[in-house]
């Protein structure tokens, strides 16, 4: 009896030791996976050179573009396109690694072109790291729109018709998250945040998730009489509110066409689920819709970066499409940047040791 109990106790202790070692091994593996995932400096130095400096200073010029297109297919195909004049800003930015913070002012006022029309509010933040990125968007438009590209209405409307329109107001909020698969050889920061250098051509598949809300007030009664006379009933809406949830998958490519010179092109189509409420003209019942559409995210950039000094230009554009049988809405935003700057304060590991 004593022998049997002693053997059982030893066997139980042995199982406990094995169990503990397996548990510790799993925990260790999990920690290593998380550590590797969060290591943004894990890249192939034959393709990507790390940033040797701690800080950067940059002068930046932004030009923001946007458009909205409202249409209807019944009883006849009609479409109205609205867009404001491009909005220019100039800013000075201070960078730490892959984060740039700064302040921009309205350049139209500096050029003496500022009008009395109400400008909107814009906030567009993009964070580029080696493995994943984040876009945060907020836009609230003003009343500086013009009507362009009028199709399907009266023949009396000239081909190049253009007219001021203050009956459109839009508010949008959005969040976009994405992951870069070939992050050891392909660098988004090299093209868009100047924090690394791409040394060889490389591409990568990119997958992401986006969510945004759109609120559009459309006062069609402020349209010119010549448009209202033949306007489809389906276009007579007062307010459109829809939520956009999408999964996107695309490809990006960095082309090193000369020493320290890089061109990048990235396109991400997105399958988007939209749920919306459309408030029609007074006396008519509101409509609720749920459907799928295709959206797009485009990024392009050209940059010269010799590690110390950099100069370049980039464009980031997004489109959102909404279609129903008797009503459609397309809107897009784009930001063009032209920038120049320099890096300073070498990191410790890149400083030459004094003899």
């Amino acid at each position: 009896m004593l022998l049997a109990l002693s053997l059982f106790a030893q066997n139980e202790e042995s199982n406990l030791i094995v169990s503990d070692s397996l548990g510790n091994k799993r925990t260790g593996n999990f920690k290593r996976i998380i550590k590797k995932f969060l290591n943004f400096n894990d890249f192939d130095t034959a393709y990507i050179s790390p940033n040797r400096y701690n800080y950067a200073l940059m002068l930046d010029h932004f030009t923001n573009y946007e458009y909205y297109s409202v249409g209807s297919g019944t009883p006849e195909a009609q479409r109205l396109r609205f867009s404001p004049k491009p909005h220019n800003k100039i800013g000075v930015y201070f960078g730490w690694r892959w984060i740039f913070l700064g302040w921009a002012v309205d350049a139209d006022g500096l050029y003496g072109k500022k009008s009395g029309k109400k400008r909107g509010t814009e906030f567009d933040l993009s964070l580029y790291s080696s493995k994943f990125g984040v876009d945060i968007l907020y836009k609230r438009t003003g009343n500086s729109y013009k009507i362009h590209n009028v199709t399907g209405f009266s023949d009396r409307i000239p081909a190049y018709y253009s007219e001021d329109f203050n009956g459109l107001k839009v508010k949008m909020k959005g969040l976009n998250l994405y992951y870069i698969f070939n992050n050891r050889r392909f660098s988004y920061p090299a093209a868009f945040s100047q924090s690394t250098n791409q040394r060889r051509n490389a591409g990568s598949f990119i997958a992401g998730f986006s969510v945004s809300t759109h609120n559009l007030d459309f006062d069609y009664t402020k349209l010119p009489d010549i448009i209202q006379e033949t306007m489809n009933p389906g276009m007579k809406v007062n307010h459109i509110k829809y939520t956009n949830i999408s999964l996107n998958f695309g490809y990006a490519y960095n082309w090193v066409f000369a020493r320290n010179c890089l061109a990048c092109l990235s396109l991400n189509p997105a399958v988007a689920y939209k749920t919306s409420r459309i408030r029609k003209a007074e006396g008519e019942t509101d409509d609720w819709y749920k459907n799928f559409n295709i959206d797009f995210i485009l990024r392009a950039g050209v940059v010269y970066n010799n590690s110390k000094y950099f100069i370049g230009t980039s464009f980031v554009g997004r489109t959102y499409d909404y279609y129903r049988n008797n009503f459609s809405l397309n809107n897009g935003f784009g930001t063009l940047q032209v920038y120049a700057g320099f890096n300073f304060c070498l990191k410790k590991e890149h400083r030459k040791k004094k003899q």
Side-chain angles (χ1 to χ4, degrees):
M1 284 288 295
L2 293 174
L3 180 61
L5 287 174
S6 175
L7 289 173
F8 177 77
Q10 291 176 10
N11 187 51
E12 186 179 40
E13 184 179 2
S14 175
N15 288 338
L16 182 62
I17 293 171
V18 171
S19 177
D20 286 347
S21 69
L22 288 174
N24 291 333
K25 187 176 181 180
R26 292 193 190 101
T27 303
N29 288 337
F30 179 75
K31 288 181 178 179
R32 280 194 293 271
I33 292 172
I34 295 298
K35 186 177 180 179
K36 184 176 180 180
F37 181 77
L38 295 177
N39 182 8
F40 299 130
N41 295 318
D42 179 26
F43 43 73
D44 188 342
T45 54
Y47 284 80
I48 302 172
S49 295
N51 186 12
R52 300 186 298 121
Y53 296 87
N54 286 305
Y55 308 111
L57 194 65
M58 179 175 70
L59 181 65
D60 205 336
H61 182 281
F62 297 87
T63 304
N64 291 324
Y65 303 89
E66 61 181 286
Y67 74 87
Y68 297 88
S69 182
V70 178
S72 174
T74 55
E76 296 181 0
Q78 293 182 339
R79 184 159 294 278
L80 293 172
R81 184 180 173 113
F82 308 90
S83 60
K85 290 182 179 180
H87 186 200
N88 297 287
K89 294 184 292 184
I90 294 178
V92 177
Y93 290 82
F94 175 78
W96 174 74
R97 299 191 179 183
W98 42 272
I99 297 177
F100 276 89
L101 299 174
W103 185 259
V105 297
D106 194 329
D108 293 337
L110 300 177
Y111 300 153
K113 298 180 180 179
K114 196 170 182 69
S115 66
K117 293 182 178 181
K118 181 182 177 183
R119 288 290 187 182
T121 301
E122 302 170 5
F123 178 79
D124 192 338
L125 174 65
S126 293
L127 299 178
Y128 299 97
S129 72
S130 60
K131 296 187 176 183
F132 62 87
V134 181
D135 299 322
I136 302 174
L137 307 169
Y138 175 81
K139 292 183 181 290
R140 188 180 64 206
T141 65
N143 62 353
S144 58
Y145 287 94
K146 278 186 172 291
I147 303 172
H148 298 290
N149 299 338
V150 180
T151 58
F153 290 84
S154 172
D155 294 335
R156 292 179 291 133
I157 299 177
Y160 298 99
Y161 180 84
S162 181
E163 187 73 34
D164 289 338
F165 181 65
N166 63 357
L168 180 64
K169 294 181 180 179
V170 180
K171 184 167 69 173
M172 176 208 166
K173 294 179 287 186
L175 174 67
N176 178 39
L177 305 172
Y178 56 87
Y179 179 78
I180 301 164
F181 288 91
N182 188 22
N183 50 71
R184 297 197 71 248
R185 294 186 173 183
F186 171 85
S187 174
Y188 245 162
F192 298 103
S193 66
Q194 303 83 46
S195 57
T196 58
N197 288 74
Q198 188 81 43
R199 294 306 182 190
R200 294 185 183 181
N201 300 341
S204 177
F205 288 103
I206 298 172
F209 168 80
S210 298
V211 59
S212 60
T213 60
H214 305 251
N215 282 273
L216 184 144
D217 289 316
F218 178 52
D219 189 350
Y220 68 91
T221 62
K222 292 184 178 181
L223 290 168
D225 293 337
I226 195 172
I227 293 178
Q228 291 193 54
E229 289 171 0
T230 55
M231 190 174 184
N232 287 346
M235 295 178 66
K236 295 181 178 180
V237 300
N238 289 330
H239 182 78
I240 305 160
K241 179 180 181 180
Y242 71 90
T243 299
N244 184 95
I245 302 173
S246 66
L247 296 175
N248 60 76
F249 185 82
Y251 190 79
Y253 190 78
N254 279 346
W255 175 38
V256 182
F257 59 91
R259 180 176 174 80
N260 299 322
C261 295
L262 173 66
C264 177
L265 181 63
S266 169
L267 180 63
N268 282 46
V271 178
Y273 173 76
K274 296 175 171 66
T275 175
S276 62
R277 177 185 180 181
I278 297 180
R279 189 168 65 231
K280 296 184 177 180
E282 188 175 351
E284 296 188 27
T285 306
D286 294 355
D287 282 338
W288 286 87
Y289 293 122
K290 296 178 181 179
N291 64 341
F292 288 89
N293 291 128
I294 301 296
D295 297 333
F296 292 93
I297 302 174
L298 171 70
R299 302 176 197 269
V302 178
V303 60
Y304 169 81
N305 187 351
N306 66 3
S307 295
K308 178 67 176 178
Y309 301 98
F310 56 85
I311 183 170
T313 181
S314 66
F315 178 81
V316 179
R318 302 171 180 86
T319 66
Y320 302 91
D321 298 321
Y322 177 86
Y323 290 99
R324 295 298 300 174
N325 294 333
N326 62 342
F327 180 82
S328 63
L329 170 67
N330 313 94
N331 58 298
F333 305 97
T335 300
L336 176 67
Q337 291 179 259
V338 179
Y339 56 85
F342 62 93
N343 298 300
F344 61 98
C345 188
L346 278 169
K347 295 178 181 178
K348 286 184 178 180
E349 60 269 25
H350 298 290
R351 296 174 187 171
K352 293 182 179 180
K353 294 181 179 180
K354 294 182 179 180
Q355 299 296 330

